[in-house]
Amino acid sequence: MSALSEPASYRPAPNPPTTRRLAADAAGIAEAARVLRAGGLVALPTETVYGLACDATDPVAVARLYAAKGRPSFNPLIAHVPDIEAAQRVGDFSPEALALASRFWPGPLTLVVPAIPEATSELARAGHSSVAIRVPAHEVARAVLAAAGRPIAAPSANRSGHVSPTTAEHVLADLDGAIDLVLDAGPCAVGIESTILDCTISPPALLRPGGLAREAIEQVLGAKLARRATPQGKADDLIAPGMMASHYAPSVPVRLDAHEVHPGEALLTFAGARPAGSERAAAIFDLSPAGDLIEAAARLFAHLRALDAAGASGIAVVPLPREGLGEGIRDRLERAAAPR
Ligand code: AMP
Ligand code: MG
């Protein structure tokens, strides 16, 4: 049996923070960057809506962000960077993608390109081998990104299912006490989210209409955008037939809610549970020996990969909690377990 994996990066969640509200001046910007680099959650103004920002390279910070938003599944997050040079360290740009970036960044356009794997955490990409990238136009956002010096995930700063916030008051109405800091720069200007283009295909496909008009994009491309039926650009809509390959899934069968380990199987467990047959498991990985769902979410993709590499005939997964991030973890494992 292989050793239990205990990534050194996990830090236990701190006591529930009180949310600080700072003016978006030089001191506020420096503090926001410091909190982000320390793995904290910061609501930032962008030209579209207030974003809930975290370090996109840190799976624990990303898990905390999903928990604060109360998202029922792990949607892929947009990596925000201060300029094109930083963007090219996060993803692979085709000449077409580069032409769009040069023309429209900074601005309300998000480009999905093949990911440079080490540049963002797999949890931030929700397992995709592509990454969505944007350079926001808001000068406060860009100053924070430049000072943070790493890609920053920033979905809208609201609880899942609520409307996107365009003021610091909206942010606090939803997330007071759940995040570390709000950087207040007054109301946002555009108020609708970025247009999202899939640039992993040519011509690119419109995944979500938004703050930049299709016509302006088509003019630069000299071609019509391909159509992709993805209302609202929800991550679920991306899991169309033939697209699973872009989503990490183990090569062996995954069996959920297992109460015993079958011969030849490896075990994915939680909170130290050892179901019958564990002693003959090909490998055992515990998502969180302490039973912490944020730690479990942060480790999910790394553990799936390690289990996949263990040479087992299948992966048995113990019953996992359904509350909090448990719902997103179960959702991801159900996709991994789906017949392909
Ligand atoms: P937002 O809610 O504005 O943060 O936008 C997030 C949306 O970006 C997701 O729900 C997806 O629709 C899209 N997105 C992010 N990453 C990817 C990706 N790698 N591939 C396709 N779409 C993505
Ligand atoms: Mg939103």
Side-chain angles (χ1 to χ4, degrees):
M1 191 197 301
S2 70
L4 296 182
S5 157
E6 299 294 334
S9 63
Y10 184 68
R11 305 174 303 280
N15 293 329
T18 49
T19 300
R20 290 181 295 152
R21 178 175 180 165
L22 295 181
D25 53 16
I29 287 166
E31 178 62 3
R34 188 196 65 76
V35 172
L36 288 170
R37 293 177 67 95
L41 302 181
V42 177
L44 286 182
T46 76
E47 78 278 28
T48 60
V49 300
Y50 272 76
L52 180 55
C54 81
D55 179 351
T57 69
D58 178 349
V60 175
V62 173
R64 283 186 187 148
L65 183 147
Y66 286 127
K69 282 189 64 85
R71 278 197 168 172
S73 63
F74 301 139
N75 288 7
L77 304 175
I78 297 170
H80 293 71
V81 292
D83 51 44
I84 293 184
E85 291 67 41
Q88 289 180 296
R89 292 193 287 272
V90 175
D92 255 334
F93 283 70
S94 65
E96 222 168 22
L98 204 52
L100 291 169
S102 309
R103 172 65 184 82
F104 294 115
W105 282 353
L109 175 66
T110 295
L111 300 176
V112 175
V113 299
I116 294 174
E118 324 74 59
T120 48
S121 81
E122 203 166 19
L123 188 62
R125 302 194 307 270
H128 286 264
S129 56
S130 59
V131 60
I133 310 177
R134 180 166 103 83
V135 176
H138 200 290
E139 54 181 89
V140 169
R142 288 179 77 203
V144 173
L145 296 174
R150 52 189 77 175
I152 296 295
S156 56
N158 53 275
R159 304 257 325 152
S160 186
H162 293 193
V163 290
S164 296
T166 54
T167 65
E169 286 77 18
H170 295 166
V171 173
L172 289 169
D174 256 25
L175 296 173
D176 197 7
I179 65 176
D180 298 287
L181 187 64
V182 182
L183 207 50
D184 186 356
C188 301
V190 176
I192 68 169
E193 281 95 341
S194 60
T195 300
I196 305 180
L197 289 189
D198 181 357
C199 292
T200 65
I201 54 172
S202 180
L206 182 64
L207 293 179
R208 178 179 78 184
L212 180 67
R214 161 202 281 271
E215 291 76 8
I217 298 166
E218 290 178 337
Q219 202 172 11
V220 168
L221 291 175
K224 294 277 179 206
L225 290 174
R227 271 172 231 269
R228 170 88 52 81
T230 57
Q232 283 91 53
K234 289 282 185 286
D236 281 1
D237 302 313
L238 299 168
I239 318 304
M243 294 201 69
M244 272 312 272
S246 69
H247 224 81
Y248 181 72
S251 58
V252 295
V254 177
R255 204 161 57 78
L256 298 182
D257 293 318
H259 291 284
E260 73 212 316
V261 182
H262 296 163
E265 279 184 331
L267 175 67
L268 183 62
T269 189
F270 179 72
R274 290 291 182 273
S278 292
E279 62 288 347
R280 51 167 198 251
I284 299 181
F285 286 90
D286 197 328
L287 286 168
S288 171
D292 179 332
L293 285 166
I294 288 181
E295 178 179 28
R299 286 180 166 171
L300 178 62
F301 287 102
H303 275 9
L304 279 176
R305 277 184 195 283
L307 280 162
D308 207 13
S313 60
I315 300 171
V317 184
V318 299
L320 294 168
R322 288 170 191 274
E323 75 272 7
L325 286 186
E327 197 181 351
I329 294 168
R330 291 184 60 96
D331 170 81
R332 187 63 195 80
L333 286 168
E334 276 159 21
R335 291 168 199 274
R340 288 184 291 282

